[in-house]
Amino acid sequence: MKKKMWAVGAIAVMVIIAVFGGWYVAFCEFGIGPAFPFLPMAQLEEGDMISVELADHPLMALTETQEQAQEIAELYGIEMISFEEGIAVYDTDQDPYDVITEGEKKGYPALSLNYVREADEWNSMLEFE
C-alpha cells in the first residue's frame, strides 16, 4: 500500500511540474496564455512616457521591388522618396493618418507610419524592478 501511495504522489508531482513547465514555455516562448504572477514586470511612470514623432517622410511600406513601391505611390497619390532593402519611404502633403485610412478603405497595399525613436529612450523603458 505504501508503494502505491508513493507512486501516486510521484506521478502527481510530475504532472504538476509538466503543467507549470508547459505554461512557462507557452507564455515565455510563444506569448500564449496568462502571465505568471511572479514574473518581473516593467513599471512605467507617467514621466517615463516618451513622445513619438513622425519622421520627415511620414509613410513607409514593405515591398519586394522598387517597381512595387512605385505602384503603391501611384495608387495613393503620394511621392516615393527612397527604396532600400525592401522598405519604401513616402512623403505626402495630406495628413498621413488620412492617407492610410483611405488606402485601407480602398483595399490598397498597407502603409505604415514612419516614426522617429531613439535607442536610449527604449532602453530606459525596459528596466525591470
Side-chain angles (χ1 to χ4, degrees):
M1 186 69 168
K2 244 183 177 179
K3 277 188 173 182
K4 270 189 176 179
M5 289 184 68
W6 277 105
V8 168
I11 291 172
V13 168
M14 287 190 288
V15 167
I16 290 170
I17 290 172
V19 167
F20 279 105
W23 182 20
Y24 180 82
V25 168
F27 180 76
C28 292
E29 297 296 321
F30 303 111
I32 301 170
F36 283 105
F38 52 81
L39 286 178
M41 303 285 284
Q43 300 293 323
L44 289 178
E45 303 294 325
E46 192 169 326
D48 292 339
M49 299 301 285
I50 59 172
S51 62
V52 178
E53 61 185 71
L54 289 175
D56 291 336
H57 308 295
L59 296 169
M60 64 182 188
L62 299 176
T63 63
E64 292 184 19
T65 65
Q66 187 167 353
E67 290 76 26
Q68 288 176 336
Q70 189 61 44
E71 289 173 10
I72 291 172
E74 291 169 7
L75 278 173
Y76 280 92
I78 57 180
E79 179 186 1
M80 186 176 84
I81 302 299
S82 66
F83 175 80
E84 189 174 326
E85 296 184 23
I87 300 174
V89 178
Y90 303 97
D91 200 4
T92 181
D93 294 334
Q94 303 170 13
D95 182 351
Y97 298 99
D98 293 341
V99 172
I100 291 173
T101 302
E102 281 301 311
E104 287 174 351
K105 286 179 186 176
K106 294 178 181 178
Y108 292 167
L111 286 178
S112 301
L113 294 172
N114 188 11
Y115 291 110
V116 175
R117 297 181 183 99
E118 294 188 23
D120 291 342
E121 293 172 346
W122 287 106
N123 288 337
S124 68
M125 289 178 56
L126 298 176
E127 293 177 9
F128 291 100
E129 288 186 354

